[in-house]
Each structure stands twice: as C-alpha cells, then as structure tokens.
Amino acid sequence: MGSSGLLSALLISTKPKEFKSAAKNPTWLAAMDEEVRALQNNRTWILVHRPTNTNIGYTEIPGLDYTDTFSLVVKATTVWVVLSLAVTNKWPLHQLDVKNAFLNGILTENVYMEQPPGRADTSLFDFHQHSNTIYMLLYVDDIIITGNNSALITMFTRELHSEFATKYLAPLNYFLGLEASPTTDGLFISQLKYARDILTHAQLLDSKPILTLMVISQHLSAESSLFPDPTFYRSLIGVLQYLTITHPDITHAVNSISQYLHAPNEDHFLVVKRILCYVKGIIHFGLIFRPSATPATLVAYSNADWAGCPDTCHSTSGYSIYLGDNLISWSVKKQPTVSRSSCEFEYRALAHTAAEIIWLTHLLTYLHVPLPQPPLLLCDNKSTIFLSSNPVSYKRSKHIELGYHFLRELIVVDKLYTHYVPSHLQIADI
C-alpha cells in the first residue's frame, strides 16, 4: 500500500491474499480507501457504461498472475552511489511516500477496467538549477530526495505534492526494508528486522552463532539424498538473496546454494543452516557510508574461483567496487562456459567487472559527477593483467570470445587502468 503510516500497522498482521480476506480487516479497508481516494483525486479514470465487444482489464487470477507487477525502479547500486555522494557532501536525506503507485500519464488509447471490488511508477531523476543539485530516487511509491540546497528541496517537494498525493515521512530512516541510521560521521544501512524475520521463519532465532560461512574445502555437489521440503529451501534462498543487499559478505555463499534450487539435497540445506547461523552472529552488521577524501574515485577488485564446481567444472567470478571509500557494487556469478586456463577465467572475470565499471562511469556522468582519473581495476593474476594490456598475446588467447577483448580497448583509450594486487591484500581490502 502507498500509505506508510498504515503500512507499519499492516505488517503486524498476516498479509491477506485476496480482497475478501482483506475486507474483513478495518486497517486494510482504511488503507484501500486512501488508495482509491488518491486515484480519484488524480482523476485517473472516468466512469462509463460497460461497452460491448471490449476486453475489460482486471483479469488476473489469484495464485497465478495476481501478484505480477512491472515498473521501472531504481537499481540498488544507484541508491548506494547517491547515498555515498550525499554523505560525502553532507547533504540532507528526505523520504517521501506516494499514496498510490499509479502516477499521472496521458494515454493515447482507451483502456477499460473494472472498478475496485467493493468500491463505486519511475526510475532515477535528477534536477539541476544552475549550481544547485537535487537527486530523486524513486522505487514504485517510495522516494528519497537529497541535494545541496534545502530551500530548493522544499520547493521541489511542494511541487511533487501538488501533482501527486505524497506524504513527507521524515529524514531517511526506512526504505525498501532497509533501516538507515545516522552516525557521527556518516550513515549506517542495515536489515536488522528483516534478518530477524528470516531467522524466525527458519526457527533459528535462538541458534548459536557460527563465525564462518562455509567450510573452505567443501565443494557443493548434486550427489546426495534430496531434501524433503524443496519449497522451504527455496523460500530461504529467496530471502537470503535480498539480505545480500546490505551483507556483501554472504554473497558468494548464497550464490553457491542458489545453484541447486531445482533439486536441493540434504548437504545443501546444511549449508543454508550454517549461513543462517552466521547471519545470527552478524545480524547487527550492515553498510557504512562515510565522507571520502576522493569521493569520485572508482576502484574495483576482481577475483575468481577456477573450475570450482565439481559437477560442471565452471568457474565462479566476483567483484567489489568502491566509490571513494564506500562500497557501492558487488557481485558473484557462475561463469556460463568452461575456462581452459586460470588466465582465461580471470580475464573473463575482469571483463565482467569492467562492464559494471563502465556503467557506473555513465551513471556518474549523468549525475554530473566528474571522475578526476580513469577507474582502477585490480586483479591478483599477473598473466591476466599482461593479457589485458598487450595485443602481442592475441594468438595465445584466440580461443577466448572476442567480446571479452573490449577490456583491452578500454585500456588502450585510457578509460580504465588495470593493476596487479596480491591475493592477501585483496582479501584484506574487501
């Protein structure tokens, strides 16, 4: 629902699956009334007699496609970039809520829909005015606004309210299930309540914490007796995947167990339980954003595990990218093909990281944040560093897909630097 004031009360009760059960709850009825009033105030529709020979909307079937929604939303990495810039520049962070997610728009065709039972949208914007800057992050109906001019933010917020049914909540404290807490020198983002809910769902809230995520020598395999409740297994993996948004330390482990959703076995579930016990020990952890001495400097670390999957011999690669001193992007992904050498799979991993870096440079350009120098990409494989900057080695790397050689082109035109970093230093930095 759009009303965050009512949402907190709704979360206390069980979420109804259809209108009939929601209509029995006064709190849900009040929330629905507020949504409908907002739609009516925006003049979203015009009541007409039901036309003949016309398809009518509202044909979703509960349990089949009733919960499907499609909307352009801000990317998590974009949120971290803007928060990093706001903290570094000491900008205020404001939070708004749109009472309904159906924003105004002009349709060129007629769309007929049924009225709601029982009763007769979207990405990233930036707003510039001379030297003043406003960034607005929009995720369906949740909004974060920040900028360098408080008066301009107030005026912009007033303009939003005049067009849409918005509500000013407070300085940023809760966004998309993420808890934001100001610190003496920055901002702390966590998912404390969400992590507790996961442990409660898994009946491990009172479990003993474990200090390590996985046994280093253990490689997951499909060979074992099947887990009797795959639906429960998949539900745990799903919530753990969203927990990685503030816990990059569990990303690799969650990626590993996510590869067996089709047929989880007993060994896989034991690893899931171990991850949950680890989460119990770091439940108060999260992301910290602090002012940076070099706020517009991009530094990335790339690494990979060669042929780590015993079933397919595929490699797993990952990266972490910093904007100044703040971690803003990270990923772990299983490579789709078998690499013939450690140099090849490290090179592929480096290329994936470079693609994310280039996307970030475009984002920063869009946000009018100049980069003082090309991004730096660090890797612990000397052969890969040599391959990325020496065209002489092409004959020895011809078996690598040509698409990955765009990395070398970036280096040639000075859009990216690569450098060797020892493995122990890379682990310490990440």
Side-chain angles (χ1 to χ4, degrees):
M1 292 298 176
S3 174
S4 295
L6 292 173
L7 182 58
S8 58
L10 298 179
L11 291 177
I12 300 175
S13 60
T14 302
K15 182 179 179 181
K17 295 183 179 180
E18 55 185 15
F19 171 76
K20 290 183 179 180
S21 57
K24 298 176 182 178
N25 188 314
T27 307
W28 278 100
L29 281 174
M32 288 187 286
D33 285 337
E34 187 173 357
E35 293 278 345
V36 171
R37 283 195 300 271
L39 291 170
Q40 291 172 340
N41 292 336
N42 284 341
R43 297 184 294 276
T44 304
W45 57 63
I46 299 174
L47 290 180
V48 298
H49 293 290
R50 186 186 185 102
T52 58
N53 301 322
T54 302
N55 292 328
I56 305 298
Y58 196 72
T59 58
E60 295 88 347
I61 301 175
L64 178 62
D65 57 1
Y66 193 81
T67 59
D68 287 354
T69 56
F70 304 91
S71 178
L72 296 175
V73 294
V74 67
K75 187 178 177 181
T77 301
T78 305
V79 176
W80 304 146
V81 169
V82 172
L83 291 183
S84 179
L85 295 173
V87 169
T88 297
N89 293 291
K90 295 181 172 56
W91 292 346
L93 287 160
H94 300 276
Q95 185 175 358
L96 288 82
D97 177 76
V98 182
K99 291 184 180 181
N100 61 72
F102 299 95
L103 304 184
N104 285 333
I106 305 300
L107 294 177
T108 58
E109 66 279 346
N110 294 325
V111 177
Y112 296 95
M113 298 183 66
E114 294 279 5
Q115 293 189 71
R119 282 156 182 80
D121 129 74
T122 63
S123 64
L124 175 72
F125 297 92
D126 68 300
F127 181 89
H128 296 278
Q129 179 177 334
H130 304 296
S131 60
N132 298 317
T133 300
I134 289 181
Y135 298 139
M136 186 179 87
L137 303 173
L138 177 60
Y139 195 101
V140 186
D141 57 358
D142 291 318
I143 300 174
I144 295 177
I145 296 179
T146 186
N148 62 356
N149 188 316
S150 297
L152 189 60
I153 291 176
T154 301
M155 182 188 72
F156 183 67
T157 303
R158 190 182 302 116
E159 289 294 324
L160 280 177
H161 184 68
S162 67
E163 292 291 334
F164 312 109
T166 61
K167 177 187 293 184
Y168 178 76
L169 299 179
L172 180 64
N173 57 14
Y174 200 80
F175 182 74
L176 302 179
L178 310 178
E179 302 168 44
S181 306
T183 63
T184 55
D185 62 344
L187 187 68
F188 177 67
I189 307 293
S190 67
Q191 291 173 285
L192 177 59
K193 181 183 180 302
Y194 184 76
R196 282 178 176 163
D197 290 343
I198 294 175
L199 294 174
T200 301
H201 175 63
Q203 299 182 351
L204 292 173
L205 187 59
D206 298 324
S207 62
K208 183 179 179 180
I210 294 178
L211 299 178
T212 55
L213 272 167
M214 299 178 69
V215 179
I216 296 178
S217 59
Q218 181 183 12
H219 291 278
L220 297 180
S221 172
E223 297 180 0
S224 182
S225 57
L226 294 178
F227 183 62
D229 191 355
T231 300
F232 180 60
Y233 178 92
R234 292 164 188 151
S235 69
L236 291 178
I237 301 304
V239 292
L240 282 173
Q241 286 178 337
Y242 190 69
L243 189 63
T244 61
I245 199 171
T246 59
H247 289 75
D249 50 332
I250 69 172
T251 304
H252 179 268
V254 173
N255 171 267
S256 298
I257 57 177
S258 298
Q259 298 172 24
Y260 301 95
L261 291 173
H262 60 291
N265 60 37
E266 295 285 355
D267 292 339
H268 303 151
F269 183 68
L270 290 177
V271 175
V272 173
K273 290 182 64 176
R274 186 183 184 95
I275 294 174
L276 291 171
C277 291
Y278 172 82
V279 169
K280 173 66 183 299
I282 52 98
I283 194 171
H284 294 280
F285 288 17
L287 293 178
I288 298 179
F289 293 91
R290 295 191 177 97
S292 302
T294 55
T297 300
L298 282 175
V299 178
Y301 296 85
S302 176
N303 207 339
D305 175 27
W306 183 35
C309 178
D311 298 319
T312 64
C313 292
H314 287 191
S315 305
T316 300
S317 61
Y319 61 76
S320 58
I321 304 176
Y322 290 80
L323 179 62
D325 298 327
N326 298 319
L327 180 63
I328 59 168
S329 181
W330 57 92
S331 174
V332 174
K333 184 177 181 180
K334 188 176 181 180
Q335 295 184 356
T337 58
V338 177
S339 298
R340 296 169 55 186
S341 66
S342 61
C343 177
E344 177 184 348
F345 90 92
E346 289 275 8
Y347 190 63
R348 292 179 184 272
L350 213 63
H352 283 303
T353 309
E356 178 72 3
I357 292 175
I358 296 305
W359 180 83
L360 283 169
T361 58
H362 292 162
L363 173 64
L364 290 170
T365 300
Y366 180 74
L367 297 176
H368 296 261
V369 178
L371 293 176
Q373 61 190 34
L376 177 62
L377 178 52
L378 300 171
C379 174
D380 63 352
N381 188 291
K382 292 183 178 180
S383 298
T384 303
I385 297 298
F386 177 80
L387 179 62
S388 67
S389 55
N390 281 274
V392 178
S393 62
Y394 175 72
K395 291 183 179 180
R396 292 183 295 162
S397 60
K398 197 170 183 178
H399 61 281
I400 302 178
E401 294 181 24
L402 296 179
Y404 289 97
H405 286 283
F406 87 99
L407 174 63
R408 182 181 300 157
E409 295 179 2
L410 296 174
I411 296 172
V412 169
V413 297
D414 293 330
K415 286 189 175 181
L416 183 69
Y417 292 148
T418 56
H419 189 70
Y420 170 75
V421 59
S423 297
H424 69 280
L425 291 181
Q426 186 171 106
I427 293 175
D429 285 330
I430 296 177

